[in-house]
Every structure is written in structure tokens, then in C-alpha cells.
Amino acid sequence: MPPEELALPPANGSEHLRAVLRAPVYEAAVVSPLEVMESLSERLDNVVQVKREDRQPIHSFKIRGAYTRMRALSSAERARGVITASAGNHAQGVALSAALLDLNAVVVMPATTAPIKVNAVRGHGAEVVLLGDTFDVAQAEALRLADARGLTYVAPFDDPLVIAGQGTIGLELIQQDAHLDRIFVPVGGGGLAAGVAGLIKNLMPGIKVIGVEPEDAACLSAALAAGHPVQLPEVSRFAEGVAVKQIGDRTFDLCQRYLDDVITVSSDEICAAVKDIFEDVRAVAEPAGAVALAGLKKYTEAHGIHGERLAHILSGANVAFDTLRYISERAEIGEHREALFGVTIPDHAGAFLDFVEVLAGRSVTEFNYRADGTDRARIFVGVQLSGGAPEGREIHDNLTAADYEAVDLSEDETAKTHVRYMIGGRSPGVDEEVYSFEFPEHPGALSRFLTELGTRWNITMFHYRSHGTDYGRVLCAFEGVRDDPDFAAHVANLGYPCQDVSTSPALSYFLLR
């Protein structure tokens, strides 16, 4: 059965503060470290610290709230057991808490949940029920089973004791650094933000607490605009740990009362924050775990904040391995370290080199091109930036000044997600040979390649993508080079490892006539 309704904490917050101080979280959780991010601190001209909730037994803060709620169960409730619905970290928090308290737990998860998460919950001894494709279906089934089997439903966020458990993070923060100026907290259902902000504002109200949520799952921002919780029609699942359609009633009351500000961030900004965390403290955050840092970076830039002591909460590190490729691809754009352009260039020998020279020595991170039989070619190109978005605008201006038709695609979601991988088509019926090259990843390597081979022989297909390794790979097709000894000599003089792949079945099927 669902937990009994409990009154909202009073306006003075004393009940919430008392609940936080009495929360028995350390029977299941640890005091997570607060670490300085040295490189990012220097870059932002602030002391930036990360609260490492990824160091908890389930690699997430969720153990705090789940255990606090379940520890308060009566003996009769313990005997019957608990149930919850979750596709993420709350499920693991309930499962581990049940194991520690020696009670039965049922977790209803969408049938689409990644096997790694399902196995983690089962690994703690919980019964897993897989049903439906969405959380809403799973939650409805969990509530039905709670009523049918007499189980206590453990809410993921909208419960006073869950909120109190999460609030212990705020207590640790001011114990670890009593001179903090601002704390950035991720917001999903609001349990963590409500708990931390309620604690901070009742003990050290001078510290600002800022909530951060994804711009495509901003349920708190929508609630603040409406004056009450509202349901979003859709939310992005990228940062699934904070992908909640509607904030809780209790959590909204506390967030509205205690948060100083709320900011939203894009998926690209979250990806950039994942990279920042890894580079500074060698932790691999899940997207939701990096939301607070993404907000910290955006907020300090927007408000011109310097010389302050800032903390953000790395809320979890249960990242699905196959999302890392996407994160890696998007991190540079989110940090404004890469710009993407669509450019029309003449289709003749030497045109590639002319184009690269307009980039003034900047590193090209991606270059996709396919001849289509006309005298013009449209290319998709990525350029590494050191000066952020203003440098991207400067490159666009330089291309336009050089009479290239160019469009900046850096903020075009379709281009970043789909089009960059779909540049191509079948060959225009020319006689061409296809080669795979390896060349060292350093400035000038691409220019040397084009100087040696691209000024004399017409290039009819070109694909290159840097993946941060020592060597880059290029797939390139040349017109009319079959049995040409002069071409073979130039390839040998280039000195880059290469292989003739003209007979590849994939090329024959998709790109060659």
C-alpha cells in the first residue's frame, strides 16, 4: 500500500532540519568526498568543487533517501515488504536498502530497461518485474501490486523522509567547506534539490543554492511558471536520472521556497561537463550526474562570477557504456571547442586545399564529401576551436569573405545527430579507386595529404573523423588512378600507411557503382 500522507514541512523548516539531522543514512551510505577540480577552477577563475556521490555503494546519491524511508518502516510493514517503480538509480537504492534491512523488495521496471541496470537490481536480491515501455506503465503496475500484495510503495522523490535522506548531502557540504558561496544541484523530481536547499537555507542562508535541469526535461521551470506542478507532454531520456515529467508536490513546495535560482542546460552542455569531470577527477559521470556542473559553468559565465567557492553534486555514475560514444561526439560542441559547417566548394583538383587554407592552420576534426557529377560539391566539415563560439563566427565570416557559400551547423540538432553520418550517395559513374589512409593527428597533417594527392588527381569521395587517438583514418576515392605509376609514387612519398579498399562489399553496396 502507498505510504501514509504526511504533512508538508512547516514554513520555518524546523521539521525538515530535524528530519535531516536524524536521518540514519550512514548505516548504508558513506560521507562522499568533496574534491577540487583544479583545471576547471583555473579556467573559470573560481574554486570549483565536486561532491562525489558516485562513490556511494550504488554509485548514486539515491541510497540516502531510499534507506532513510525504509529504515522508518514499522515491523508490520517490514514483514510485508516494499515495492517501487524505477528504471534507474532509485531501483538500486531500494534493492540495496532491502538487502541491508533484510526485507523483501519488488522493483517494477520498463521492459526496455538496459540489462546492466536490471542485473544490478537483481544482484541485490530484489524481485524484478519487467512491464511496458515507459515509466508510467511500470509505476501503475507497482501501485497495483502494492495494493494487491499489501506492499509499501517507496516513492523516488516526493516523500518527506526520502527528501530528508537526500538533504544529508547539504549537511556534509557545509561541514566540508563552510565558506561555500554557491551550490549547484541537479533537479529531476526535486528530492535532492529540496533536501539540500532546505538544509542549507535553515543553517547557512547566505549560501546560494541553484537548481539545474535539462532544457528538454525542465519540469521545475514549468511548475514555477505555472505556480504549481504541471506535467510536461514529453521529456528527453538522455539524462534519464533527471528525466521526470512532473515535479512532486512536496518537492516543489520546498524548491519554490528555498532555491535561489534555476537554470536549464542543453544535452551538448551536459556532454561537455561529463568530459570536464573525467579530465579533472577521472570519474565517468552519467549524463544526469553532470547536469549540475553544466549549470555551474553556464551560470558563472552568464553572471560574470569570479573568485567564488562553488560546489556541484555529481549525483551518479551509472552510465550505459554505449552512450559514451555519443557523449564524446557532442562534448566538443557543448564546450564550443568544435564548429560544424556546410560549405559549397568547386569540384576540381586542388579545391580541397584551397578551402583548408582559408581555415588558417586550424585543425579539421571532420570532413565528409561525395562528388555528385556537378561542378560544385557540398561538404560537411568540423573545425577545432580554441576561442569558443566567437571563433566559430569568425571562421564563418572568413569563408563568406572568400566567396564560399557556408552555413554554420553547430547548433543544428539534425545535422549533429543524423546528417553528419549520412553524407554520401552513389558515385557519378566515374572510374575511381578507394583507399584507406592512416596519418598522424597533428596540425598540418591534412594539408600535407591534400598537397601531395589532392592537387593533381580529382578526389571523388572523402571521409575523415578525429576520435582523439594518435592517428586519424581517412577514406578517400580518386578518379582515374588505376594502374597509374605516378599516383603510386606520390602515395609512397606521402609515407602514410594506406590500403586499397576498392573491393570492399560495403563500398560496393552503398557508395560505388
Side-chain angles (χ1 to χ4, degrees):
M1 56 184 175
E4 60 180 315
E5 292 297 317
L6 299 175
L8 285 168
N12 61 19
S14 61
E15 194 66 35
H16 172 67
L17 180 59
R18 186 179 300 110
V20 172
L21 295 174
R22 297 177 62 185
V25 297
Y26 304 111
E27 295 174 8
V30 299
V31 176
S32 59
L34 182 66
E35 299 178 4
V36 175
M37 298 179 66
E38 300 286 356
S39 297
L40 189 61
S41 295
E42 182 177 353
R43 208 165 88 212
L44 300 184
D45 190 29
N46 290 288
V47 178
V48 179
Q49 300 176 87
V50 54
K51 182 66 169 161
R52 296 286 304 274
E53 284 298 291
D54 60 303
R55 302 285 290 273
Q56 296 297 345
I58 61 167
H59 310 292
S60 164
F61 76 97
K62 285 287 191 176
I63 185 63
R64 296 175 183 261
Y67 187 84
T68 300
R69 175 68 185 92
M70 293 166 64
R71 181 69 165 73
L73 294 172
S74 67
S75 57
E77 289 172 324
R78 291 194 185 198
R80 289 191 295 266
V82 299
I83 190 169
T84 195
S86 172
N89 295 331
H90 177 64
Q92 294 186 55
V94 169
L96 177 57
S97 297
L100 294 172
L101 294 169
D102 193 26
L103 51 89
N104 294 324
V106 179
V107 178
V108 185
M109 311 179 82
T112 53
T113 303
I116 188 173
K117 297 182 179 181
V118 176
N119 294 337
V121 173
R122 284 179 173 151
H124 293 305
E127 175 190 346
V128 174
V129 176
L130 297 174
L131 184 71
D133 295 331
T134 66
F135 171 76
D136 292 338
V137 173
Q139 185 180 46
E141 177 64 7
L143 292 172
R144 186 190 72 79
L145 289 175
D147 185 62
R149 295 166 58 173
L151 305 173
T152 297
Y153 182 77
V154 181
F157 48 82
D158 205 25
D159 179 288
L161 292 176
V162 171
I163 296 169
Q166 322 301 30
T168 58
I169 295 176
L171 187 61
E172 291 176 17
L173 279 167
I174 58 177
Q175 290 172 335
Q176 291 167 320
D177 187 349
H179 301 286
L180 286 171
D181 293 294
R182 300 174 200 266
I183 298 171
F184 292 80
V185 188
V187 181
L192 177 59
V196 170
L199 182 285
I200 294 296
K201 290 302 179 179
N202 278 284
L203 287 182
M204 298 186 71
I207 299 176
K208 304 294 185 183
V209 184
I210 294 92
V212 187
E213 52 186 352
E215 59 188 17
D216 46 13
C219 64
L220 173 57
S221 296
L224 290 171
H228 57 84
V230 295
Q231 185 171 86
L232 301 175
E234 296 292 338
V235 295
S236 168
R237 303 303 304 175
F238 172 60
E240 63 179 356
V242 288
V244 177
K245 286 188 175 181
Q246 182 171 327
I247 196 168
D249 293 328
R250 295 180 177 88
T251 54
F252 174 68
D253 179 82
L254 288 166
C255 287
Q256 185 181 45
R257 191 185 311 168
Y258 293 126
L259 285 179
D260 292 285
D261 208 347
V262 178
I263 187 172
T264 62
V265 293
S266 69
S267 293
D268 288 349
E269 289 165 337
I270 295 170
C271 290
V274 171
K275 182 179 180 181
D276 287 325
I277 291 170
F278 176 77
E279 289 184 341
D280 246 313
V281 298
R282 296 300 186 266
V284 182
E286 62 185 271
V291 163
L293 177 58
L296 180 155
K297 292 166 59 184
K298 188 173 185 176
Y299 196 89
T300 54
E301 179 181 2
H303 295 272
I305 295 170
H306 299 279
E308 291 193 355
R309 300 187 68 82
L310 313 173
H312 67 94
I313 299 172
L314 195 178
S315 58
N318 290 303
V319 60
F321 185 79
D322 57 4
T323 66
L324 293 177
R325 179 177 180 179
Y326 174 87
I327 291 170
S328 176
E329 288 278 356
R330 303 295 285 263
E332 295 300 283
I333 299 173
E335 194 60 69
H336 300 297
R337 294 175 182 168
E338 181 184 40
L340 302 177
F341 299 97
V343 185
T344 302
I345 67 173
D347 189 11
H348 59 70
F352 280 179
L353 181 59
D354 293 340
F355 167 75
V356 169
E357 288 177 347
V358 177
L359 301 180
R362 295 180 176 91
S363 294
V364 174
T365 57
E366 184 169 2
F367 202 122
N368 294 309
Y369 158 73
R370 185 67 171 121
D372 62 3
T374 67
D375 62 353
R376 310 288 287 177
R378 289 190 171 186
I379 63 173
F380 186 100
V381 61
V383 183
Q384 189 175 74
L385 306 177
S386 58
E391 184 181 7
R393 292 190 288 271
E394 177 187 342
I395 293 172
H396 183 267
D397 292 342
N398 291 344
L399 290 170
T400 302
D403 293 328
Y404 287 106
E405 178 186 326
V407 56
D408 189 341
L409 302 174
S410 303
E411 300 301 326
D412 188 312
E413 186 66 25
T414 302
K416 292 183 287 187
T417 304
H418 300 292
V419 175
R420 72 192 307 174
Y421 305 111
M422 299 172 67
I423 306 299
R426 291 186 176 274
S427 66
V430 299
D431 177 25
E432 56 186 356
E433 295 291 297
V434 185
Y435 290 81
S436 173
F437 291 86
E438 262 187 18
F439 61 86
E441 287 279 21
H442 59 67
L446 181 60
S447 293
R448 180 168 178 240
F449 176 87
L450 294 174
T451 300
E452 189 70 33
L453 298 177
T455 56
R456 178 171 174 181
W457 293 278
N458 189 34
I459 296 175
T460 56
M461 178 172 63
F462 195 96
H463 178 262
Y464 162 69
R465 180 58 177 158
S466 169
H467 288 286
T469 57
D470 292 336
Y471 284 82
R473 292 184 180 272
V474 163
L475 187 71
C476 192
F478 298 88
E479 181 180 1
V481 300
R482 184 173 298 162
D483 301 322
D484 184 343
D486 198 20
F487 176 80
H490 276 75
V491 169
N493 185 59
L494 184 64
Y496 296 164
C498 73
Q499 181 180 4
D500 186 339
V501 295
S502 302
T503 59
S504 163
L507 290 175
S508 300
Y509 191 84
F510 290 107
L511 296 169
L512 302 180
R513 290 191 185 276

